[in-house]
Amino acid sequence: MLGKDHFIISLAWAFLLLSPVIVQYPEFSFAFLLGIAIGAVYPDIDSTYNPYLGRLRSSSAEGNGPLTWVIALAAYPVKHLTGFVFSGGDKKKKTEYLKHRNLIHSIPGIFFSLLVILIPLNIILYLIGYWTPFVLIASAGVLIGACMHLMEDCCTLSGVKFFYPASKHALLRGRIRVKTGSTIAGVIFTIIFAIPALLCLAYNLWLKNSYHLGKFAFLDGLSPGVNVAIAAVVSILLWLLCFLISQSKLWNSGEKEYAASGYRGNNKRYYKR
C-alpha cells in the first residue's frame, strides 16, 4: 500500500484501540498515536535510496511523503546495520535483503532495526533525566505501528514475507494492486476501523457526562486494561474483515497481473506502471 494509506489506516486502527481510554488518558493516548504515525510508515524506508546522496525516490513511487523521507534519513545507518547482521557481512545477500518488501518488511527485520533505535534512545533519555513514561508508550506505538503496516500490506498482491530471510514466501496475500487499488482500499479500511472507534468514543463520552462521572470506561466495571484488550480483539476481527475484502476478485488483480506487473523488489519497472 501507499505510505499515505498506511498512515490513515494505522491511525484509525490505533484510535480504535485507544477509544475506551482516550478520554481518561489523553496525554498517553497522544504519545501512543505519535508512535503509531512513525511506525506506520517506517517499513517503507526500504523503498528509498541513499538519502545522504540525495537519491531519494519520488513520492509517486511508493506514496512516500516527507515523514517517510525524514525517517529514512534518520534510520539509514540502522537499516544497513540490520542488513549487515542478517547477511553475515555478505554484500550480495545484504543488497538482496534490503530490497523493498524483504527484510525490513519482516518481523525479524522490523523488531531488530527498531529495537536497535528504541532501546538506546530510552536509556540515553533516562540517563540525562529526560525520560518519561510517554517515551516508553511512544516507543511501543512505533513497534505496533510497524506491525500494523505489515498486516495492511498482507492485503496487497505481493503480500508480506513475515519470516524473511528464513522464509522467502509471502504467507498472506490479497488482490489489491498498489498502483491502482491502494487509495480505494485505504478509504474502505479506514472507515471499517473508524466507525466502531467513533461509536466507542461517543459511548465513553456519554458515560463521562452521566452519573458515572467518568469512573468507568467503555463497559461498566471493567478496568482500562481489559477494555483495551477487548478493543484489540475487535480490531483483529476487523483486520480479518479487511483481509477478506482484499481477496475479492473485484480488485481485478489475479496471478496473471502479478506476473505481468514486473514487481521484483526495488525493480523500477514496477513503479512505472
Side-chain angles (χ1 to χ4, degrees):
M1 286 187 167
L2 301 177
K4 59 184 178 62
D5 301 315
H6 283 298
F7 187 80
I8 61 171
I9 296 171
S10 298
L11 284 180
W13 192 341
F15 184 49
L16 173 59
L17 293 175
L18 293 171
S19 57
V21 296
I22 195 170
V23 174
Q24 287 75 18
Y25 306 101
E27 299 87 357
F28 290 108
S29 298
F30 175 78
F32 185 75
L33 288 173
L34 179 62
I36 289 289
I38 296 173
V41 297
Y42 175 83
D44 278 341
I45 65 172
D46 62 9
S47 65
T48 62
Y49 288 125
N50 188 336
Y52 296 108
L53 298 180
R55 290 185 291 170
L56 271 168
R57 193 172 278 166
S58 67
S59 60
S60 62
E62 187 66 21
N64 292 338
L67 178 60
T68 309
W69 294 358
V70 171
I71 295 172
L73 179 67
Y76 182 77
V78 173
K79 179 180 76 171
H80 282 270
L81 172 63
T82 302
F84 177 84
V85 170
F86 279 85
S87 65
D90 187 304
K91 290 185 178 180
K92 186 176 180 180
K93 285 185 177 180
K94 178 172 172 285
T95 300
E96 180 65 26
Y97 286 1
L98 293 182
K99 287 182 178 179
H100 188 46
R101 293 285 184 100
N102 282 352
L103 182 59
I104 305 299
H105 269 71
S106 71
I107 293 176
I110 283 293
F111 274 83
F112 179 86
S113 62
L114 281 177
L115 290 178
V116 165
I117 298 172
L118 296 175
I119 291 177
L121 176 63
N122 277 265
I123 293 175
I124 291 171
L125 290 176
Y126 179 80
L127 291 176
I128 63 177
Y130 284 94
W131 187 91
T132 68
F134 297 104
V135 177
L136 184 61
I137 291 174
S139 299
V142 173
L143 282 169
I144 294 173
C147 291
M148 289 177 174
H149 182 116
L150 299 188
M151 296 180 74
E152 292 154 12
D153 273 346
C154 288
C155 299
T156 63
L157 198 55
S158 52
V160 172
K161 307 166 188 173
F162 278 107
F163 303 105
Y164 191 94
S167 173
K168 298 184 180 181
H169 299 286
L171 297 179
L172 298 173
R173 196 172 76 189
R175 293 177 177 269
I176 300 172
R177 291 185 68 176
V178 173
K179 296 297 288 184
T180 58
S182 181
T183 300
I184 298 175
V187 172
I188 294 173
F189 294 174
T190 299
I191 292 173
I192 288 174
F193 286 111
I195 289 178
L198 290 172
L199 291 174
C200 179
L201 179 61
Y203 179 67
N204 204 2
L205 288 171
W206 176 79
L207 281 180
K208 183 179 181 181
N209 294 321
S210 69
Y211 65 92
H212 293 296
L213 299 177
K215 182 179 180 181
F216 301 120
F218 190 38
L219 296 174
D220 289 345
L222 297 181
S223 67
V226 173
N227 288 322
V228 171
I230 293 173
V233 173
V234 172
S235 72
I236 294 298
L237 294 176
L238 292 176
W239 172 81
L240 289 174
L241 174 61
C242 293
F243 184 72
L244 289 175
I245 292 174
S246 76
Q247 303 298 309
S248 172
K249 293 183 179 180
L250 294 176
W251 298 103
N252 193 28
S253 302
E255 294 294 334
K256 292 182 179 179
E257 288 85 352
Y258 177 70
S261 66
Y263 180 80
R264 296 293 185 275
N266 278 347
N267 192 324
K268 293 183 180 179
R269 288 187 300 159
Y270 172 74
Y271 297 106
K272 292 180 179 179
R273 293 180 179 271

